[in-house]
Amino acid sequence: MAPTPAEKAALAQNVTNQPDGPGKRIGKRGEVHVIGNVLPGGGKLFRERIAQFQAEAGYWETHVGTVHDFRVLMFDNDTRILISAIYDGDFLPYLADVINQAGPWFDMLMPGVWEGYTSASDTATRKLIGRQAYTADAFYAGYPDLTTKDIAKMRKLRDAVNAMLDSAS
Amino acid sequence: MSALELSDIQGTVLRGRPMPYYGTYLVFTVQNPRSALTLLERLLPKVTTAADWEAPAENAWINVAFSHAGLSKLGLPEDVLSGFPREVRQGMAARSAFLGDVGSSAPENWDMPHAGNGLDIGLLIMAGSIALRDDKIAIGHAAVSGLPGIVAAHRLDVGLPPTMREHFGFVDGISRPYIEGQGGTPLPGQPIAKAGEFVLGYENELGEIASGPGPQELWRNGTYIALRKLHQDVAAFRRFLRDNANSPEGQELLAAQMMGRWRSGCPLAKSPERDDPAMANDPLRNNDFLYLKEDPDGRVTPAGSHIRRANPRDALDGTVVDMKLHRLLRRGSAYGGVLPEGVMEDDGADRGLVIALINANPGRQFEFVQSQWMNDGDFISEGDRTDPFAGRKDKADDFVTLKPRKRYRGLSQFATTRGGEHLFLPGIGGLKWILGNVKPA
């Protein structure tokens, strides 16, 4: 017999909201979505710039160091843009740091594309990001208690244990 | 860079604590807004500013601060009240889950009033002698004399213990940022901070003018103080050292590793093997160190030690965190009698620290440091691990050193929160604006 809805819900994760919002939270893992409007002509600019933006993703996100995955999507016939991220820890406390650190990366893509976005160092842009951030209605996180730092540490441990076992074999 | 308007800034922002010091925190509850304004009117000429802070005419000061609830009772307009930072509007008790004030540290166990249960106006008094302190207390009492509807809700005296150290046995108050425009020159190792990190109306580290709610006259030269009352379980700390080290020297090393400084104040980073009191007493050397190049992994100063968590210096360079956005100006003072040396059982007396943390942006300064660095360990790849002294112990109760490689378990709640509030400390102009523009209903 197929499991009942109640039986399936027995594996539900403990989902909370980020302190002071936005975004949901499971364990150490948080999510956030930002949805902005695209300026006329923004689609063309976006497509011109996106390849280099993609190429630099590893550099900037490694620098930030707490992001598990990150996406940018232009949709609705070049009228809207979606940015989403899955990351470790709280959102608001780190917002100023993240904008500071990854600001130049966003500045190479967003001016002229995202309506209201001037420069990451501009107070108005910071406020725009806060205003256009949304919380997911449903969220699942795999291994929600492992941060990127934990995963890196475990990989280091695994490699060390393998090296030890290899040297003994 | 513009010079700070010292004669408009309340003294506690810049004045160093006298040594020895005698201080008092007086808490008032407002039941009658008209009386509160009269109190303020009487106090205004007596409020000590930061003018001549390096060589003040009088080795004592009296300052006045307000909780958001207090400002609301005074009758500040709603559009001004709603412009205060979220943390100030909500009050520290409401932020307890985020700040880790849970369990024995939860607000229901606090014995110092907070906004919403009695802390409307606070008087901060600090002096170099008991007589000078009492003079300032008398000013406070005279200001409320004969006023209906102003209730003296709480008094907490602070003073340097005869040991000249805080109750865990450490010399404290060694490290503080140098504020641009404060005058003088920074000491070696003293970070230079934009004034707008600590005083409203000046440029901050984001390149913005730090601003406050409502008209500039209200907030210019004002700031916010995160006030914390922390009870210290000295006996538990001593037992922990005794149970985890084989010799008195071993106990001292463990205490130093937990703090990041020997009890004299000498930094481990400058003298890893043994205490060096001469180093501790030399302001040109006792704060002149960094971590990233010399000690990136925390083999000398453990990554989880108190001073490295509270102020990671350059240890987080290259990570998401910009240290410049999370600096605090810390004013700590001890309260309660000393637990006699060698006593290993708690005597039931209340003793601890009152810490006034000055910040222009409570969210990214005090609350960030408390929630991310004191009460979490992910920023140093230590998972849930918290600060050995100030951290909550319900998430993790261990502490790790790399030299020797050891994990100490079973740390108790050595420091328990007994009170706390985000207060607004206006400039002199702000106090005048309140008097001139607030009309009680």
Side-chain angles (χ1 to χ4, degrees), chain A residues 19-20 28 62-66 88 90 92-94 96-98 100-101 121-123 126 147 149-150 153, chain B residues 86 90 95 98 206 208 318-322 325-326 364 368 371-373 376 378-379 381-384:
Chain A
D20 304 319
K28 299 259 174 120
T62 303
H63 206 58
V64 170
T66 55
D88 297 322
D90 298 331
L92 270 190
Y94 278 103
D97 296 271
V98 171
N100 248 16
Q101 292 283 356
S121 58
D122 185 354
T123 312
R126 293 165 193 266
T147 66
K149 287 195 175 69
D150 293 332
K153 210 170 175 177
Chain B
R86 175 194 293 110
Q90 293 182 352
R95 317 251 335 137
F98 179 62
L206 291 171
E208 303 163 347
T319 75
V320 65
V321 171
D322 185 346
L325 303 180
H326 309 292
R364 70 169 166 78
F368 180 95
S371 62
Q372 311 301 318
W373 292 349
D376 199 42
D378 198 48
F379 77 108
S381 301
E382 292 200 8
D384 279 337

Side-chain angles (χ1 to χ4, degrees), chain A residues 30-34 61 67-71 83-87:
Chain A
E31 62 78 30
V32 72
H33 295 75
V34 180
E61 291 296 7
V67 175
H68 288 264
D69 59 59
F70 170 87
R71 301 175 194 87
I83 303 153
S84 74
I86 305 289
Y87 56 92

Side-chain angles (χ1 to χ4, degrees), chain A:
Chain A
M1 199 165 60
T4 65
E7 284 166 340
K8 284 184 272 189
L11 290 177
Q13 295 180 305
N14 181 28
V15 187
T16 57
N17 287 318
Q18 284 286 35
D20 304 319
K24 280 198 158 48
R25 174 80 167 263
I26 301 174
K28 299 259 174 120
R29 208 72 56 81
E31 62 78 30
V32 72
H33 295 75
V34 180
I35 303 173
N37 296 316
V38 173
L39 292 162
K44 182 172 176 290
L45 276 178
F46 181 83
R47 280 182 286 278
E48 283 168 12
R49 296 168 180 171
I50 195 68
Q52 186 60 29
F53 183 84
Q54 172 69 68
E56 293 185 16
Y59 171 83
W60 293 103
E61 291 296 7
T62 303
H63 206 58
V64 170
T66 55
V67 175
H68 288 264
D69 59 59
F70 170 87
R71 301 175 194 87
V72 180
L73 165 70
M74 187 169 278
F75 63 110
D76 271 359
N77 292 323
D78 291 357
T79 59
R80 292 202 286 168
I81 190 166
L82 165 72
I83 303 153
S84 74
I86 305 289
Y87 56 92
D88 297 322
D90 298 331
F91 178 77
L92 270 190
Y94 278 103
L95 185 57
D97 296 271
V98 171
I99 292 175
N100 248 16
Q101 292 283 356
W105 186 39
F106 270 69
D107 284 353
M108 69 186 276
L109 180 66
M110 295 303 183
V113 174
W114 182 356
E115 186 184 29
Y117 188 106
T118 52
S119 141
S121 58
D122 185 354
T123 312
T125 297
R126 293 165 193 266
K127 285 185 178 160
L128 173 83
I129 295 169
R131 216 168 42 240
Q132 297 189 332
Y134 295 87
T135 299
D137 294 305
F139 181 38
Y140 169 81
Y143 306 102
D145 290 322
L146 294 180
T147 66
T148 56
K149 287 195 175 69
D150 293 332
I151 293 167
K153 210 170 175 177
M154 288 167 75
R155 190 172 63 180
K156 209 169 148 188
L157 265 177
R158 182 201 60 191
D159 292 348
V161 169
N162 281 341
M164 185 184 77
L165 294 176
D166 289 347
S167 67
S169 61

Side-chain angles (χ1 to χ4, degrees), chain B residues 88-111:
Chain B
V88 179
R89 287 198 319 269
Q90 293 182 352
M92 208 175 269
R95 317 251 335 137
S96 58
F98 179 62
L99 293 173
D101 289 328
V102 296
S104 56
S105 287
E108 53 265 33
N109 300 317
W110 293 0
D111 54 24

